[in-house]
Amino acid sequence: MTGELPAARATVGQPEIRDMPVLLTPGPLTTSARVKAAMMRDWGSRDPAFVELSQSVFERIRALAGGTAEDHVCVPLQGSGTFAVEAMLTTFVGAGDRVLLLVNGAYGHRMAAICGKSGRAHEIYEVPETDTHDPLEVARRLRLDPQIGFVAMVHCETTSGLLNPLSEIARCVRAEGRQLLVDSMSGFGALPLDMHALELAAMAASSNKCLQGVPGLGFVVCRKDMLEAARGASPSVVLDLQAQADALANGGQWRFTPPTHVIAALDEALAELEEEGGPAARLARYSQNLATLLAGMGRLGFQPVLDSSRQAPVIASFVEPDDAWFCFKSFYEALRLGGYAIYAGKMTGIGSFRVGVIGAVDFLTIEAFLRVAEAVVSEMKQKVIS
Ligand SMILES: *Cc1c(COP(=O)(O)O)cnc(C)c1O
């Protein structure tokens, strides 16, 4: 690529460092200068100032998830989001329990892998990656098997970018008297989620997606009575949510080294979320980003994989053009030179690639990306002709 492409610029994130691409990915994603700056000091993990910071961060996350101080708690966990999903499944689904897993993408399959490895009895209800689950079928399966105490689902299936119908499924699980566990990793902080109203048992998410913090921390917001009932049930020392919650409740100390800088950055990211106007305002910004992206990519000839009614304003999958000029690797590298990092596809049976719309980016960022993409596409097509 020539160096004449428009310079990348995240109008919200303003990366000041040369060669720092704008991340149009599902996370880690572009963070603001403020969030990055919050990591410029050291914290003693047992120092009261850090204990207070950490408690305040997890109280605010509990409230954001619609959890009440009385009945819910946010249990943080060192590591990436999957650590939190594994902790949630293996702490709550006991050795004698059975869980129904709703699968329509790689993250659903990951839950099955976790249950398989940890010996948690599970049944899989799988639908194609572009479809959502039928609540009536969920109800039918639950009635058929009273041994199933839990249902686990993915809120936004990041594999395709699909929004699963959380409230419909929650209503059906509740009506059948079972417990719902939700992986809301790529939605929490923007997509509506109210644990109390939906009567969710637990929800797992992480620091580095719609909360716009940096990676290194997962967490599970859950009901306190469920934690108590799970005492001693986890087969793991580090992933035992009940033991982690116990330690934090008794003096605020983490059991093992906490990611101090990540938590300080998350504290700042939560302040930004509040200043922006909360999850509803963030969702509106992401929706505008998505609309700008879909319209612009459409003009360049790219087809979205999902029906617009199922598309979450988080990340969009596009069909890889079946044309001589297109090659994802060259497309990626040229965009990267122009200052933008997109994401490879993850769908089975269809060539796709993904572009994220979350993070400290706005529609102007997306418009700037589209100008680069237009130049890249025309150069790639030119190469085939010449
Ligand atoms: C990102 C993500 C996860 C966690 O992935 P990590 O790589 O472990 O952070 C889990 N579920 C979904 C739906 C996700 O988007």
Side-chain angles (χ1 to χ4, degrees), residues 26-27 79-83 85 107 110 154-159 183-187 206 208-209:
S80 84
T82 305
F83 290 60
V85 174
Y107 292 99
R110 190 176 292 178
V154 179
H155 193 180
C156 167
E157 220 337 321
T158 323
T159 306
D183 167 355
S184 188
M185 206 66 60
S186 60
S206 73
N208 64 283
K209 290 188 174 171

Side-chain angles (χ1 to χ4, degrees), residues 148-166:
I148 298 174
F150 296 87
V151 175
M153 69 176 286
V154 179
H155 193 180
C156 167
E157 220 337 321
T158 323
T159 306
S160 57
L162 177 142
L163 179 65
N164 278 311
L166 175 61

